[in-house]
Amino acid sequence: MTTSSHPPPVGVITIRTALPAEYAAIGELTYDAYATDGLLANDSGYADELRDAEHRATHCDLLVAIDEQGRLLGTVTFCLPGSPFAELSREGQAEFRMLAVAPAHRGRGVGSRLVRECLDLATRHGARSVVLSTKPQMASAQRLYDRFGFSRLPQLDWAPMPGVELLAYRKSL
């Protein structure tokens, strides 16, 4: 018998708006995904921001991926310019942030489904492009963005605080 390095497929993945009763679990999933990947060193409060799903849901579209049993698989925050969570987006653009897949459910297409939903939402909102920021060490996320046709925008790279570098990406719609 051979074993696979990838977990088995999830089956049906549903993407929908998060429910208030899920906010605490979404916050913990987001925090756990970032912590598992070692992305919270010197976070200066970012851990608290990741855990505060309710605040994101108040100002943005907080989306979740769930399976047939209603298990939370992943989440992403979709926002438009003017939102307190918009970092790069300007007029005619949309943005997504805090894409997180539960470590136990990675490699099953959850992240791809969440990105696809963000692109579809951006199109429905009339955006001409989607932008995002990612840390240099988020290699798997960057491979995902490459597969969707995002391009690097080094001129928009930025640092929210000393020692935290963010890379900018953009996809035309």
Side-chain angles (χ1 to χ4, degrees):
M1 173 161 48
T2 59
T3 58
S4 171
S5 62
H6 291 288
V10 168
V12 177
I13 299 171
T14 300
I15 309 297
R16 62 164 170 74
T17 300
L19 304 173
E22 298 170 320
Y23 293 163
I26 292 165
E28 286 310 306
L29 181 150
T30 309
Y31 172 83
D32 289 345
Y34 278 67
T36 295
D37 292 342
L39 299 171
L40 296 177
N42 301 317
D43 71 12
S44 183
Y46 195 55
D48 292 336
E49 188 174 342
L50 292 173
R51 283 186 167 117
D52 194 355
E54 180 176 2
H55 184 65
R56 292 195 299 280
T58 302
H59 298 285
C60 303
D61 290 315
L62 181 62
L63 305 175
V64 294
I66 59 168
D67 66 10
E68 301 98 327
Q69 289 79 41
R71 285 183 300 197
L72 187 60
L73 308 173
T75 182
V76 67
T77 301
F78 174 86
C79 55
L80 296 170
S83 157
F85 286 91
E87 296 175 326
L88 295 177
S89 59
R90 302 293 179 257
E91 182 71 30
Q93 297 179 320
E95 183 169 355
F96 64 87
R97 298 190 50 205
M98 300 179 201
L99 175 65
V101 176
H105 297 291
R106 291 180 179 173
R108 299 177 178 186
V110 176
S112 292
R113 288 291 310 280
L114 288 163
V115 170
R116 168 56 50 212
E117 184 64 23
C118 287
L119 296 175
D120 291 348
L121 260 176
T123 299
R124 289 195 299 271
H125 280 284
R128 294 181 305 278
S129 64
V130 175
V131 292
L132 61 89
S133 298
T134 186
K135 285 186 170 185
Q137 59 269 47
M138 296 173 123
S140 61
Q142 291 162 27
R143 285 190 300 273
L144 176 64
Y145 305 145
D146 288 342
R147 285 195 305 271
F148 273 95
F150 281 82
S151 302
R152 281 277 292 116
L153 286 180
Q155 67 273 25
L156 293 182
D157 290 355
W158 63 292
M161 58 182 281
V164 177
E165 177 188 359
L166 295 176
L167 307 177
Y169 280 76
R170 178 181 170 274
K171 176 179 174 51
S172 294
L173 299 174

mmCIF file of all heavy atoms in Angstrom, residues 122-147:
data_model
loop_
_atom_site.group_PDB
_atom_site.id
_atom_site.type_symbol
_atom_site.label_atom_id
_atom_site.label_comp_id
_atom_site.label_asym_id
_atom_site.label_seq_id
_atom_site.Cartn_x
_atom_site.Cartn_y
_atom_site.Cartn_z
ATOM 1 N N ALA A 122 -15.328 40.174 -6.853
ATOM 2 C CA ALA A 122 -14.753 41.396 -7.421
ATOM 3 C C ALA A 122 -15.410 41.732 -8.751
ATOM 4 O O ALA A 122 -15.762 42.895 -9.007
ATOM 5 C CB ALA A 122 -13.244 41.232 -7.594
ATOM 6 N N THR A 123 -15.620 40.719 -9.575
ATOM 7 C CA THR A 123 -16.280 40.937 -10.862
ATOM 8 C C THR A 123 -17.703 41.445 -10.655
ATOM 9 O O THR A 123 -18.131 42.400 -11.318
ATOM 10 C CB THR A 123 -16.284 39.627 -11.679
ATOM 11 O OG1 THR A 123 -14.920 39.242 -11.916
ATOM 12 C CG2 THR A 123 -17.003 39.796 -13.002
ATOM 13 N N ARG A 124 -18.435 40.837 -9.729
ATOM 14 C CA ARG A 124 -19.809 41.274 -9.454
ATOM 15 C C ARG A 124 -19.851 42.717 -8.939
ATOM 16 O O ARG A 124 -20.833 43.423 -9.164
ATOM 17 C CB ARG A 124 -20.480 40.330 -8.458
ATOM 18 C CG ARG A 124 -20.791 38.973 -9.060
ATOM 19 C CD ARG A 124 -21.766 38.145 -8.252
ATOM 20 N NE ARG A 124 -21.352 37.801 -6.918
ATOM 21 C CZ ARG A 124 -20.657 36.713 -6.576
ATOM 22 N NH1 ARG A 124 -20.268 35.855 -7.496
ATOM 23 N NH2 ARG A 124 -20.356 36.478 -5.323
ATOM 24 N N HIS A 125 -18.795 43.146 -8.252
ATOM 25 C CA HIS A 125 -18.724 44.523 -7.754
ATOM 26 C C HIS A 125 -18.198 45.492 -8.814
ATOM 27 O O HIS A 125 -18.048 46.684 -8.543
ATOM 28 C CB HIS A 125 -17.833 44.605 -6.515
ATOM 29 C CG HIS A 125 -18.503 44.172 -5.255
ATOM 30 N ND1 HIS A 125 -19.422 44.947 -4.588
ATOM 31 C CD2 HIS A 125 -18.399 43.029 -4.534
ATOM 32 C CE1 HIS A 125 -19.841 44.316 -3.508
ATOM 33 N NE2 HIS A 125 -19.249 43.148 -3.457
ATOM 34 N N GLY A 126 -17.886 44.998 -9.997
ATOM 35 C CA GLY A 126 -17.415 45.861 -11.077
ATOM 36 C C GLY A 126 -15.941 46.209 -11.010
ATOM 37 O O GLY A 126 -15.485 47.115 -11.713
ATOM 38 N N ALA A 127 -15.183 45.509 -10.202
ATOM 39 C CA ALA A 127 -13.744 45.776 -10.104
ATOM 40 C C ALA A 127 -13.045 45.358 -11.401
ATOM 41 O O ALA A 127 -13.441 44.388 -12.047
ATOM 42 C CB ALA A 127 -13.144 45.025 -8.915
ATOM 43 N N ARG A 128 -12.033 46.092 -11.756
ATOM 44 C CA ARG A 128 -11.231 45.771 -12.938
ATOM 45 C C ARG A 128 -10.004 44.941 -12.591
ATOM 46 O O ARG A 128 -9.378 44.355 -13.468
ATOM 47 C CB ARG A 128 -10.822 47.054 -13.653
ATOM 48 C CG ARG A 128 -12.012 47.800 -14.248
ATOM 49 C CD ARG A 128 -11.621 49.057 -14.980
ATOM 50 N NE ARG A 128 -10.844 50.005 -14.190
ATOM 51 C CZ ARG A 128 -11.364 50.879 -13.322
ATOM 52 N NH1 ARG A 128 -12.663 50.935 -13.127
ATOM 53 N NH2 ARG A 128 -10.590 51.701 -12.650
ATOM 54 N N SER A 129 -9.652 44.922 -11.290
ATOM 55 C CA SER A 129 -8.519 44.119 -10.851
ATOM 56 C C SER A 129 -8.660 43.801 -9.365
ATOM 57 O O SER A 129 -9.477 44.411 -8.662
ATOM 58 C CB SER A 129 -7.189 44.831 -11.114
ATOM 59 O OG SER A 129 -7.092 46.024 -10.355
ATOM 60 N N VAL A 130 -7.860 42.833 -8.932
ATOM 61 C CA VAL A 130 -7.809 42.443 -7.525
ATOM 62 C C VAL A 130 -6.358 42.542 -7.081
ATOM 63 O O VAL A 130 -5.446 42.117 -7.810
ATOM 64 C CB VAL A 130 -8.323 41.001 -7.324
ATOM 65 C CG1 VAL A 130 -8.165 40.552 -5.883
ATOM 66 C CG2 VAL A 130 -9.778 40.898 -7.753
ATOM 67 N N VAL A 131 -6.147 43.115 -5.917
ATOM 68 C CA VAL A 131 -4.801 43.252 -5.359
ATOM 69 C C VAL A 131 -4.739 42.561 -4.003
ATOM 70 O O VAL A 131 -5.767 42.342 -3.350
ATOM 71 C CB VAL A 131 -4.394 44.742 -5.220
ATOM 72 C CG1 VAL A 131 -4.220 45.389 -6.589
ATOM 73 C CG2 VAL A 131 -5.404 45.522 -4.390
ATOM 74 N N LEU A 132 -3.531 42.239 -3.599
ATOM 75 C CA LEU A 132 -3.333 41.618 -2.291
ATOM 76 C C LEU A 132 -1.889 41.797 -1.853
ATOM 77 O O LEU A 132 -1.020 42.120 -2.661
ATOM 78 C CB LEU A 132 -3.704 40.132 -2.328
ATOM 79 C CG LEU A 132 -2.914 39.234 -3.273
ATOM 80 C CD1 LEU A 132 -1.676 38.651 -2.611
ATOM 81 C CD2 LEU A 132 -3.797 38.105 -3.759
ATOM 82 N N SER A 133 -1.666 41.583 -0.566
ATOM 83 C CA SER A 133 -0.322 41.604 0.019
ATOM 84 C C SER A 133 -0.053 40.241 0.631
ATOM 85 O O SER A 133 -0.966 39.592 1.156
ATOM 86 C CB SER A 133 -0.228 42.650 1.135
ATOM 87 O OG SER A 133 -0.463 43.946 0.643
ATOM 88 N N THR A 134 1.200 39.827 0.589
ATOM 89 C CA THR A 134 1.602 38.561 1.186
ATOM 90 C C THR A 134 3.024 38.683 1.707
ATOM 91 O O THR A 134 3.809 39.473 1.185
ATOM 92 C CB THR A 134 1.471 37.407 0.168
ATOM 93 O OG1 THR A 134 1.736 36.170 0.807
ATOM 94 C CG2 THR A 134 2.393 37.583 -1.010
ATOM 95 N N LYS A 135 3.333 37.933 2.742
ATOM 96 C CA LYS A 135 4.697 37.930 3.275
ATOM 97 C C LYS A 135 5.600 37.110 2.348
ATOM 98 O O LYS A 135 5.157 36.131 1.752
ATOM 99 C CB LYS A 135 4.725 37.323 4.683
ATOM 100 C CG LYS A 135 4.182 38.247 5.746
ATOM 101 C CD LYS A 135 4.390 37.628 7.125
ATOM 102 C CE LYS A 135 4.078 38.630 8.222
ATOM 103 N NZ LYS A 135 4.390 38.066 9.550
ATOM 104 N N PRO A 136 6.871 37.481 2.255
ATOM 105 C CA PRO A 136 7.794 36.737 1.379
ATOM 106 C C PRO A 136 7.846 35.235 1.692
ATOM 107 O O PRO A 136 7.991 34.421 0.790
ATOM 108 C CB PRO A 136 9.151 37.393 1.649
ATOM 109 C CG PRO A 136 8.817 38.771 2.112
ATOM 110 C CD PRO A 136 7.520 38.633 2.873
ATOM 111 N N GLN A 137 7.690 34.862 2.957
ATOM 112 C CA GLN A 137 7.795 33.449 3.323
ATOM 113 C C GLN A 137 6.521 32.643 3.042
ATOM 114 O O GLN A 137 6.488 31.441 3.263
ATOM 115 C CB GLN A 137 8.232 33.283 4.779
ATOM 116 C CG GLN A 137 7.340 33.916 5.808
ATOM 117 C CD GLN A 137 7.718 35.347 6.162
ATOM 118 O OE1 GLN A 137 7.951 36.163 5.284
ATOM 119 N NE2 GLN A 137 7.759 35.664 7.444
ATOM 120 N N MET A 138 5.481 33.274 2.533
ATOM 121 C CA MET A 138 4.229 32.564 2.225
ATOM 122 C C MET A 138 4.300 31.949 0.828
ATOM 123 O O MET A 138 3.510 32.265 -0.070
ATOM 124 C CB MET A 138 3.037 33.512 2.347
ATOM 125 C CG MET A 138 2.817 34.038 3.754
ATOM 126 S SD MET A 138 1.530 35.318 3.799
ATOM 127 C CE MET A 138 0.388 34.608 4.962
ATOM 128 N N ALA A 139 5.217 31.013 0.658
ATOM 129 C CA ALA A 139 5.490 30.429 -0.661
ATOM 130 C C ALA A 139 4.287 29.682 -1.238
ATOM 131 O O ALA A 139 3.998 29.800 -2.430
ATOM 132 C CB ALA A 139 6.706 29.515 -0.587
ATOM 133 N N SER A 140 3.577 28.920 -0.425
ATOM 134 C CA SER A 140 2.439 28.172 -0.972
ATOM 135 C C SER A 140 1.334 29.123 -1.422
ATOM 136 O O SER A 140 0.691 28.887 -2.453
ATOM 137 C CB SER A 140 1.919 27.146 0.031
ATOM 138 O OG SER A 140 1.479 27.775 1.208
ATOM 139 N N ALA A 141 1.110 30.198 -0.684
ATOM 140 C CA ALA A 141 0.121 31.193 -1.106
ATOM 141 C C ALA A 141 0.547 31.842 -2.419
ATOM 142 O O ALA A 141 -0.274 32.026 -3.327
ATOM 143 C CB ALA A 141 -0.068 32.245 -0.019
ATOM 144 N N GLN A 142 1.820 32.144 -2.552
ATOM 145 C CA GLN A 142 2.297 32.768 -3.783
ATOM 146 C C GLN A 142 2.161 31.835 -4.977
ATOM 147 O O GLN A 142 1.817 32.279 -6.082
ATOM 148 C CB GLN A 142 3.742 33.226 -3.598
ATOM 149 C CG GLN A 142 3.831 34.386 -2.616
ATOM 150 C CD GLN A 142 5.216 34.601 -2.075
ATOM 151 O OE1 GLN A 142 6.200 34.274 -2.718
ATOM 152 N NE2 GLN A 142 5.289 35.155 -0.877
ATOM 153 N N ARG A 143 2.361 30.526 -4.777
ATOM 154 C CA ARG A 143 2.140 29.568 -5.868
ATOM 155 C C ARG A 143 0.666 29.559 -6.272
ATOM 156 O O ARG A 143 0.336 29.500 -7.457
ATOM 157 C CB ARG A 143 2.603 28.166 -5.457
ATOM 158 C CG ARG A 143 4.120 28.011 -5.454
ATOM 159 C CD ARG A 143 4.545 26.558 -5.285
ATOM 160 N NE ARG A 143 4.083 25.965 -4.041
ATOM 161 C CZ ARG A 143 4.729 26.029 -2.876
ATOM 162 N NH1 ARG A 143 5.884 26.683 -2.803
ATOM 163 N NH2 ARG A 143 4.241 25.435 -1.806
ATOM 164 N N LEU A 144 -0.218 29.636 -5.279
ATOM 165 C CA LEU A 144 -1.651 29.697 -5.557
ATOM 166 C C LEU A 144 -1.976 30.949 -6.377
ATOM 167 O O LEU A 144 -2.678 30.874 -7.390
ATOM 168 C CB LEU A 144 -2.433 29.691 -4.241
ATOM 169 C CG LEU A 144 -3.942 29.855 -4.318
ATOM 170 C CD1 LEU A 144 -4.588 28.691 -5.060
ATOM 171 C CD2 LEU A 144 -4.520 29.982 -2.910
ATOM 172 N N TYR A 145 -1.458 32.089 -5.969
ATOM 173 C CA TYR A 145 -1.726 33.338 -6.692
ATOM 174 C C TYR A 145 -1.173 33.254 -8.114
ATOM 175 O O TYR A 145 -1.818 33.724 -9.063
ATOM 176 C CB TYR A 145 -1.150 34.534 -5.947
ATOM 177 C CG TYR A 145 -1.627 34.642 -4.513
ATOM 178 C CD1 TYR A 145 -0.790 35.114 -3.510
ATOM 179 C CD2 TYR A 145 -2.913 34.238 -4.137
ATOM 180 C CE1 TYR A 145 -1.221 35.205 -2.193
ATOM 181 C CE2 TYR A 145 -3.342 34.318 -2.829
ATOM 182 C CZ TYR A 145 -2.494 34.806 -1.858
ATOM 183 O OH TYR A 145 -2.927 34.875 -0.555
ATOM 184 N N ASP A 146 0.004 32.673 -8.276
ATOM 185 C CA ASP A 146 0.569 32.501 -9.620
ATOM 186 C C ASP A 146 -0.360 31.662 -10.496
ATOM 187 O O ASP A 146 -0.575 31.988 -11.665
ATOM 188 C CB ASP A 146 1.949 31.833 -9.556
ATOM 189 C CG ASP A 146 3.039 32.743 -9.005
ATOM 190 O OD1 ASP A 146 2.842 33.981 -8.976
ATOM 191 O OD2 ASP A 146 4.087 32.208 -8.588
ATOM 192 N N ARG A 147 -0.908 30.584 -9.954
ATOM 193 C CA ARG A 147 -1.813 29.720 -10.727
ATOM 194 C C ARG A 147 -3.056 30.476 -11.188
ATOM 195 O O ARG A 147 -3.632 30.166 -12.230
ATOM 196 C CB ARG A 147 -2.231 28.499 -9.909
ATOM 197 C CG ARG A 147 -1.152 27.448 -9.793
ATOM 198 C CD ARG A 147 -1.680 26.102 -9.312
ATOM 199 N NE ARG A 147 -2.402 26.132 -8.059
ATOM 200 C CZ ARG A 147 -1.850 26.004 -6.848
ATOM 201 N NH1 ARG A 147 -0.546 25.850 -6.727
ATOM 202 N NH2 ARG A 147 -2.595 26.022 -5.770
#
